[in-house]
Amino acid sequence: VIMIRNVMNDKIIVVDCDGVLLDWEHSFKLWMKEKGYEVKNDVEYSMAKSYEMEKPEMKKLIRHFNESATMCCLPPLRDAVKYVRKIHEELGYVFHCVTSMTLDRHANKLREQNLSNLFGETAFEKVHCLDTGADKDEALLPYLDSGCMWVEDKIKNAELGDRLGMSAVLMKHDHQNDYTNDAIPAVESWKEIYEMLS
């Protein structure tokens, strides 16, 4: 059993969005297909490697996608809806989302709408949108030594939260199968997180 120490006044869980709450990758690949791009290598975390493209070119496409109307309706990741709602409604936690999406305010509103439609209007107390691919160091500083749970699918960001004194949890995907870090539990579902907390 993993003990989640929580020294903040409220029961707060800090979460990344894409690859944790929402199935961004599935929607991005459909969007890319519509634009005429085919996946070349489907086992990579890096979209630039998946499509055998230069990083700056891929970053432009990702930004374009993240600023598109698609942001209103990305599907949930795995069992996120059921268990995020249970964690909020049964266990009394609220969520703060920190997402490196885009600074476009219209796209940010669509992201908030997407989360509200899937998880209910009261689950997310804050949605903090950073620039496309931005580092999360500054955004996580308010949670320094808080012991708040931090759920992230990017190894670098999970480890960042751990260093900052948060209770990091890695949401696993196929590309991280060989990852091992005893300090950071890796989960494949929100059910596992719900069980950790209850």
Side-chain angles (χ1 to χ4, degrees), residues 16-26 29 42-45 47 76-78 151-155 169-179 186-190:
D16 174 36
C17 190
D18 300 309
V20 170
L21 298 164
L22 304 177
D23 195 347
W24 180 92
E25 189 176 318
H26 173 75
K29 285 176 176 173
D42 208 16
V43 294
E44 292 289 345
Y45 176 72
M47 286 297 144
L77 184 80
R78 302 172 193 157
V151 188
E152 171 64 87
D153 68 316
K154 192 173 181 179
I155 291 167
V169 175
L170 183 75
M171 183 62 73
K172 276 184 77 175
H173 293 268
D174 291 345
H175 56 267
Q176 313 140 325
N177 280 338
D178 54 353
Y179 180 72
V187 299
E188 292 186 15
S189 68
W190 272 94

Side-chain angles (χ1 to χ4, degrees), residues 53-119:
M53 243 181 234
E54 294 299 315
K55 274 188 177 175
E57 186 187 354
M58 179 49 76
K59 191 172 178 180
K60 274 185 199 166
L61 284 163
I62 288 172
R63 183 186 299 278
H64 184 35
F65 173 69
N66 284 354
E67 292 177 356
S68 75
T70 314
M71 286 304 110
C72 75
C73 39
L74 296 188
L77 184 80
R78 302 172 193 157
D79 62 350
V81 170
K82 179 179 179 179
Y83 287 98
V84 166
R85 283 179 175 261
K86 281 169 82 74
I87 289 166
H88 173 56
E89 291 160 16
E90 288 177 21
L91 306 180
Y93 284 85
V94 291
F95 293 84
H96 290 185
C97 181
V98 178
T99 173
S100 301
M101 176 201 181
T102 172
L103 296 175
D104 181 274
R105 61 191 176 88
H106 301 293
N108 295 169
K109 282 283 172 213
L110 292 178
R111 166 130 295 178
E112 288 174 22
Q113 183 188 320
N114 193 182
L115 292 173
S116 179
N117 289 344
L118 290 173
F119 302 106

